[in-house]
């Protein structure tokens, strides 16, 4: 490419080729500087060195390289070494001259978790790394009451290997195909990860609460409020969490009569009051009304809160009314009638006739009363109704965390073949890669920046590291550094790495 810059059309002739023989590398590296800065601030290599000591910190350096690789695009193991050598990363490495060949990186994973050492030792190393990382974050960002909530969810990743004890056909979006689940627990305020653990693909989400509760209890974190999505609540699940010493805050699906009654307990006018409204964290323009009361659910006494989203209510009603309009107009094919019936749900009642169903007007009125409503339940009686709503809907950030794991962090699909490599990949490499992204989001908020994490990374990727040969040596420079990029670099504290 460097030898053939410019047009080469035979019609217009070939333009002069600029002399670029002195340039050795042009690498997008502003985002790498951000991840390196954060890994230093949260002392990742110190954590690796303490848990997996080695001569010359070779293991710590290799694991650090794998975390950065996961954060910046996940290259195959044979490509990690050349990528580091051809970028400014080789200048920022904790230890010089450490081999980053495929076999060396694999051996570093083995040090964390090798089946020959025994599972107990392996698990202790994995959890020691997670605990030390959480402590390092706490020392930097501090700890306040907002940290005393934990958010638990499970995402499922397709497995492309030949054998792994975690990979099984089962629940989730990849139902029927071998996949591995990963359960993650994050704190509330900045959503730094506290715990990651793999779960078998066949294990339902609600049953993952058992190992998560046991692990948190083993770390002395009883008394926290565990926030869970609607796929988790049930009498057995809540009993497990309560018996482990945790409070719960859950979203309640309309799967029982008691939940259906609670959702329709109040009229819209009784809920939509000026003193009972709070903006949604992910969409501040979408305010939610709420009303709470003491009650019992799932066999446990607690506090119930009805949340009402006017925007969602309008969308649901308009969608249903349009479908009912189509039913009234008729003229649909058999397949279309079947699809419409499925979308209408309980509003379409079974009935003899050509369609096989009819519109149940009573069921339509009952459904209308629940439009835009969401029932929340908590056993933590110290929370106000407003705090319950704010806390639960901050789960939006946790959902983004899983989108990050499957998207920018490129977890899917898992291509590691060995069981212990899959385990280490999920619980250490991906865990710490997400920690760095959470750290970037924290820095952006602390600096008062409006960019999202992805927007900031996109700007930084356009900052290039250029290495040019100068006589017997090299000259390294950065560019192009526009006013916008310089402002972001300064706000994120990257000046010591990205030199103007």
């Amino acid at each position: 490419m460097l030898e053939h810059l410019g047009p080469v059309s035979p019609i217009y002739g070939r333009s002069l080729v600029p002399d670029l023989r002195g340039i050795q590398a042009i690498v997008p590296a502003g985002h790498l500087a951000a991840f390196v800065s954060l890994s230093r601030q949260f002392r990742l290599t110190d954590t690796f060195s303490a848990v997996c000591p080695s001569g010359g910190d070779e293991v710590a350096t290799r694991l650090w390289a794998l975390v950065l690789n996961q954060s910046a695009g996940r290259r195959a193991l044979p490509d990690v070494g050349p990528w580091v050598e051809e970028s400014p990363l080789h200048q920022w490495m904790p230890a010089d001259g450490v081999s980053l060949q495929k076999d060396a990186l694999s051996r570093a994973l083995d040090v964390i978790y090798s089946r020959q050492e025994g599972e107990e030792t392996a698990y202790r190393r994995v959890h020691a790394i997670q605990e030390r990382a959480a402590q390092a974050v706490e020392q930097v960002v501090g700890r306040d009451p907002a940290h005393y909530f934990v958010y638990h969810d499970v995402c499922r990743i397709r497995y492309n290997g030949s054998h792994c004890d975690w990979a099984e056909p089962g629940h989730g979006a990849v139902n029927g195909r071998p996949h591995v689940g990963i359960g993650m627990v994050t704190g509330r305020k900045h959503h730094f990860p506290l715990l990651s653990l793999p779960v078998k693909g066949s294990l339902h989400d609600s049953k993952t609460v058992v190992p998560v509760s046991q692990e948190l209890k083993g770390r002395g974190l009883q008394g926290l409020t565990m926030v869970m999505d609607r796929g988790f609540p049930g009498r057995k699940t809540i009993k497990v969490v309560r018996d482990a010493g945790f409070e719960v805050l859950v979203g309640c699906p309309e799967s029982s009569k008691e939940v259906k009654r609670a959702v329709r307990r109040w009229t819209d006018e009784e809920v939509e009051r000026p003193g009972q409204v709070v903006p949604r964290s992910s969409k501040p323009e979408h305010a939610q009304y709420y009303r709470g009361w003491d009650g019992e659910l799932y066999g446990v006494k607690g506090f119930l809160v009805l949340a009402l989203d006017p925007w969602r209510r309008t969308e649901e009603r308009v969608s249903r009314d349009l479908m009912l309009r189509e039913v009234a107009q008729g003229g649909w094919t058999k397949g279309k009638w079947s699809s419409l019936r499925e979308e209408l749900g309980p509003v379409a009642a079974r009935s003899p006739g050509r369609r096989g169903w009819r519109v149940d007007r009573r069921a339509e009125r009952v459904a209308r009363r629940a439009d835009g409503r969401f029932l929340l339940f908590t056993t933590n009686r110290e929370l106000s109704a407003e705090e319950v709503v704010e806390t639960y809907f901050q789960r939006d950030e946790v959902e983004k965390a899983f989108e990050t794991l499957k998207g920018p962090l490129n977890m899917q699909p898992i291509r590691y073949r060995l069981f212990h490599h899959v385990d280490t990949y999920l619980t250490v490499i991906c865990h710490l890669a997400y920690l760095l992204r959470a750290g970037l989001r924290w820095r952006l908020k602390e600096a008062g920046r409006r960019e999202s994490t992805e927007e900031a990374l996109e700007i930084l990727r356009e900052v290039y590291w250029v290495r040019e040969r100068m006589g017997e040596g090299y000259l390294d420079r950065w560019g192009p550094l526009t006013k916008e990029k310089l402002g972001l670099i300064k706000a994120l504290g990257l000046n010591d790495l990205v030199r103007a």
Side-chain angles (χ1 to χ4, degrees):
M1 182 184 70
L2 295 178
E3 292 180 2
H4 297 283
L5 291 177
V8 294
S9 170
I11 297 177
Y12 297 102
R14 181 171 177 175
S15 63
L16 295 176
V17 177
D19 185 6
L20 298 176
R21 287 175 295 178
I23 294 180
Q24 301 299 304
I26 303 176
V27 180
H31 62 303
L32 300 181
F35 291 132
V36 169
S37 178
L38 288 161
S39 66
R40 289 177 176 177
Q41 185 174 24
F42 297 131
R43 305 197 305 277
L44 293 195
T45 53
D46 291 345
T47 293
F48 289 138
S49 296
V51 180
C52 307
S54 62
D57 283 338
E58 292 183 352
V59 171
T61 299
R62 289 164 183 156
L63 294 173
W64 173 84
L66 288 174
V67 172
L68 292 183
N69 177 53
Q70 189 71 27
S71 301
R74 196 178 73 162
R75 292 152 188 81
L77 290 187
D79 299 330
V80 174
W83 170 65
V84 170
E85 187 60 34
E86 295 166 5
S87 72
L89 289 175
H90 72 276
Q91 299 177 348
W92 300 330
M93 288 181 67
D96 294 330
V98 175
S99 171
L100 297 179
Q101 294 181 352
K102 178 182 176 181
D103 291 343
L105 296 173
S106 294
R107 287 196 300 271
L109 296 175
D110 291 339
V111 171
I112 294 179
Y113 194 157
S114 176
R115 301 193 84 172
Q116 283 72 31
E117 296 182 11
E119 292 191 353
E120 285 302 316
T121 302
Y123 279 123
R124 284 200 296 272
R125 283 183 174 171
V126 166
H127 295 164
I129 290 173
Q130 292 183 4
E131 284 190 71
R132 281 180 172 269
Q135 291 167 2
V137 168
E138 189 175 303
Q139 290 173 5
V140 173
V141 306
R143 184 168 189 171
D144 57 40
H147 285 78
Y148 289 89
F149 292 88
V150 292
Y151 292 76
H152 170 49
D153 209 339
V154 175
C155 74
R156 301 185 180 272
I157 308 103
R158 181 163 42 88
Y159 177 67
N160 277 4
S162 56
H163 174 72
C164 172
D165 292 354
W166 297 116
E168 295 178 343
H171 300 279
V174 286
N175 189 17
R177 300 192 61 180
H179 64 277
V180 179
I182 173 172
M184 178 181 281
V185 176
T186 74
R188 176 187 179 189
K189 190 172 182 180
H190 299 294
H191 298 285
F192 283 99
L194 301 176
L195 168 68
S196 296
L197 75 167
V199 295
K200 290 190 174 184
S202 62
L203 195 64
H204 190 272
D205 289 0
S206 60
K207 293 184 179 180
T208 63
V209 173
V210 176
V212 167
S213 299
Q214 291 174 345
E215 176 58 29
L216 290 174
K217 184 177 180 180
R219 298 187 185 186
L221 296 175
Q222 299 97 318
L224 300 179
T225 298
M226 188 176 293
V227 186
M228 298 181 290
D229 199 6
R230 290 191 298 177
F232 288 88
R235 288 177 179 264
K236 291 183 178 179
T237 303
I238 290 179
K239 185 178 185 304
V240 167
V241 177
R242 298 281 290 147
D243 288 347
F246 297 91
E247 305 291 346
V248 297
L249 196 169
V250 295
C252 309
E254 287 192 54
S255 55
S256 66
K257 292 182 179 179
E258 56 183 355
V259 173
K260 292 178 180 178
R261 285 196 299 268
V263 167
R264 296 163 178 81
R265 179 185 179 99
W266 310 101
T267 64
D268 288 354
E269 291 74 18
E270 290 173 317
V271 178
E272 293 180 281
R273 296 179 177 178
Q276 300 173 177
V277 63
V278 61
R280 187 161 179 167
S281 59
S282 61
K283 298 179 180 179
E285 69 279 8
H286 281 207
Q288 294 189 102
Y289 293 91
Y290 59 85
R291 183 156 184 173
W293 68 99
D294 293 327
E296 183 175 317
L297 201 61
Y298 304 117
V300 180
K301 291 184 178 180
F303 188 53
L304 293 90
V305 178
L306 176 63
L308 171 59
D309 185 336
W311 279 265
R312 181 180 169 187
R313 176 183 60 194
T314 300
E315 290 176 357
E316 291 178 353
R317 286 184 178 174
V318 169
S319 176
R320 187 188 309 108
D321 288 346
L322 287 174
M323 285 189 285
L324 293 176
R325 178 175 179 269
E326 292 177 358
V327 172
Q329 290 177 341
W332 283 48
T333 64
K334 183 177 180 180
K336 292 288 186 179
W337 282 119
S338 177
S339 174
L340 197 59
R341 177 184 184 180
E342 184 177 348
E343 291 190 45
L344 285 171
V347 174
R350 182 176 299 180
S351 175
R354 182 172 62 86
R355 287 201 307 252
W357 60 275
R358 62 178 177 81
V359 174
D360 187 332
R361 292 298 173 184
R362 180 179 177 279
E364 190 273 330
R365 290 193 297 270
V366 171
R368 194 176 185 85
R369 288 187 59 189
D371 288 337
R373 297 182 174 215
F374 198 88
L375 184 67
L376 306 173
F377 174 71
T378 181
T379 58
N380 187 341
R381 305 298 290 272
E382 297 180 1
L383 296 176
S384 67
E386 181 175 346
E387 288 173 326
V388 169
V389 174
E390 285 184 328
T391 300
Y392 183 81
F393 284 103
Q394 279 192 354
R395 279 189 50 78
D396 294 344
E397 295 293 330
V398 182
E399 297 296 337
K400 290 179 182 177
F402 284 117
E403 290 176 8
T404 297
L405 291 175
K406 286 185 168 183
L409 291 187
N410 200 18
M411 283 177 61
Q412 183 157 305
I414 296 176
R415 301 188 185 278
Y416 284 96
R417 297 296 191 265
L418 301 178
F419 165 79
H420 60 288
H421 284 183
V422 173
D423 196 299
T424 306
Y425 172 64
L426 295 177
T427 59
V428 174
I429 305 304
C430 291
H431 181 92
L432 295 178
Y434 176 69
L435 183 148
L436 295 183
R437 295 182 73 91
L440 180 58
R441 183 170 59 245
W442 165 71
R443 279 196 185 179
L444 288 168
K445 290 183 178 180
E446 289 293 299
R449 304 287 298 195
R450 294 187 177 182
E451 295 94 344
S452 68
T453 305
E454 282 306 312
E455 288 171 343
L457 289 174
E458 192 62 32
I459 294 171
L460 292 173
R461 287 188 188 98
E462 296 178 358
V463 177
Y464 291 83
W465 174 75
V466 181
R467 165 157 282 197
E468 185 175 0
R469 180 179 292 277
M470 300 293 289
E472 297 298 324
Y474 294 95
L475 173 66
D476 295 339
R477 51 191 173 87
W478 293 82
L481 295 176
T482 63
K483 184 177 180 180
E484 176 193 29
K485 294 172 184 175
L486 284 170
L488 181 59
I489 289 168
K490 181 178 179 181
L492 294 176
L494 307 181
N495 300 81
D496 60 327
L497 297 174
V498 181
R499 301 183 185 276

